Each structure stands twice: as structure tokens, then as C-alpha cells.
Amino acid sequence: MPNHGLRRLARPADLAAVHAIYMHPEVVPYLGVDPAPLAEFEPVFAELLASGAFFVVEKGGAVCGFHRATRYKGRARHVATLQTLAIDPHEKGSGLARAMVTEAIECLRAEGVKRVELLVEADNPRGVAFYRKLGFELEGCMKRAYKRAGDADYVDELIMARWLED
Ligand SMILES: CC(C)(COP(=O)(O)OP(=O)(O)OC[C@H]1O[C@@H](n2cnc3c(N)ncnc32)[C@H](O)[C@@H]1OP(=O)(O)O)[C@@H](O)C(=O)NCCC(=O)NCCS
């Protein structure tokens, strides 16, 4: 994947920084795995590294955000999905998240991707508002597709997508 400057592929040495952001109480409710100590997070991180599509962004030499951008194959090869996306809460509202996603989308567009899709939990209004601002539209709802450890209820996953015009 081409690199336009802000982001770079994650490296094994990023484990602790990614874990710290991932497990922040304002972040972990909206990502893929439940709160876990570093040792339990290692295999999750190893899988992200192995994807070859997990990127971090840095500020002043410190990792302050990440995302995974995966392209599908075959007849869906014009489609990519964004996952495991977060910004360090200390950078909240700074515009870094917008810059990170904009760069990710431009890299995907340069590779020929036409459609970028993602799932966002229905109880994450900040995430939904953020993606709307970036041009994503609500396309549907996967009912009760998500459940956090300790929660009594299941949560709906919203499908959002953006078509990349030429
Ligand atoms: C979602 C997240 C990445 C957004 O980060 P952020 O720092 O708020 O985003 P930015 O400062 O770059 O804002 C980008 C745009 O979204 C808008 N936005 C962000 N939060 C908003 C809100 N609650 N309501 C309305 N607009 C909002 C900003 O106003 C900004 O628009 P502008 O550039 O036109 O002013 C961040 O909150 C996060 O990491 N959350 C936890 C993890 C998460 O929810 N990930 C998504 C899971 S799918």
C-alpha cells in the first residue's frame, strides 16, 4: 500500500502504545475485543500485524492512532473495509482522526478501491457523527451483532459506507 506520509505500517515495537490506546475506557467499548492486559492482547496485536494492513499514526514520535484497512478479493475487490480504528483520547477533536481516515481513503482510492465500508456500534454516536462528517452514509443495521463482556444486552452494528467518486 502506498504511504502518503502520516501513517506507517505497525511494527512489533508498537504493541504497548497500541494496547494503551485500545484499552482506554473511551476507546475499548467500540473496538473488537474486551478489556485485556498486555499479555492477553499480544495475540490480537499479532493478528493485526499479520494482516499487513494495520497502520499507526504518530505525533512527536509517539503512536497516537491506528486503523486497519483491508481490501476484499474477487468480485468485491473494489471494496475495502476500515476496522480497529481509534485515536488517542488526548488527541480528541484535534482533527488527527479526520486526517488519518482521509489519508487511508486516498491510499485505497489510489489502489482502485471504489467503496469503503465499516461497522460502527449503534451506541457510539460520536463515531457515527465522525463518519458522517467524512462522507459515510448509513446503509443498514445488523441487529444484536455485538456484545461486550458483562453487558446484559446485545448491541446493533450499523453498516456505513462511502462511494469514492473519480
Ligand atoms: C471516532 C474518533 C476516531 C473520532 O475522533 P475525533 O478526534 O473526534 O475526530 P476529529 O477531531 O478528527 O473530527 C473529525 C470531524 O468529525 C466531527 N466530529 C467528531 N465527533 C463528533 C460528534 N460527537 N458530533 C459531531 N461531529 C463530530 C468533528 O467535528 C470533525 O469535523 P470537522 O473537521 O468538520 O470539524 C475518536 O472519537 C475515537 O477514537 N473514538 C473511540 C474509538 C471509536 O469509536 N472508533 C470507531 C469505531 S468504528
Side-chain angles (χ1 to χ4, degrees):
M1 233 179 237
N3 188 337
H4 293 274
L6 194 63
R7 69 181 192 173
R8 64 166 171 79
L9 276 171
R11 302 191 279 252
D14 298 321
L15 168 65
V18 169
H19 176 258
I21 297 171
Y22 197 118
M23 296 303 162
H24 189 285
E26 288 181 29
V27 172
V28 73
Y30 308 116
L31 300 187
V33 302
D34 285 318
L38 190 69
E40 280 175 35
F41 183 69
E42 273 192 64
V44 177
F45 185 68
E47 202 179 313
L48 289 168
L49 286 185
S51 74
F54 183 60
F55 296 88
V56 298
V57 294
E58 288 177 312
K59 205 166 166 183
V63 171
C64 52
F66 50 75
H67 65 275
R68 178 173 172 177
T70 319
R71 192 167 177 180
Y72 293 110
K73 293 187 170 76
R75 289 176 170 170
R77 64 184 175 278
H78 64 292
V79 184
T81 181
L82 290 179
Q83 296 165 293
T84 315
L85 186 152
I87 275 295
D88 185 335
H90 297 106
E91 294 291 335
K92 186 163 80 179
S94 70
L96 186 67
R98 175 190 270 279
M100 177 175 80
V101 174
T102 300
E103 183 183 66
I105 288 173
E106 289 318 310
C107 290
L108 292 168
R109 188 201 299 274
E111 290 173 16
V113 167
K114 295 285 186 194
R115 174 186 158 89
V116 182
E117 61 184 30
L118 57 88
L119 298 178
V120 57
E121 290 72 54
D123 62 357
N124 184 4
R126 190 168 123 210
V128 173
F130 169 75
Y131 290 125
R132 278 194 196 281
K133 264 281 167 77
L134 274 89
F136 287 81
E137 289 174 34
L138 184 61
E139 289 193 340
C141 175
M142 293 161 61
K143 290 187 181 174
R144 297 180 288 277
Y146 190 86
K147 189 171 185 298
R148 302 176 183 101
D151 277 6
D153 293 327
Y154 294 89
V155 177
D156 295 346
E157 288 272 31
L158 303 179
I159 305 162
M160 297 188 80
R162 179 174 153 186
W163 184 257
L164 306 183
E165 301 297 344
D166 291 329

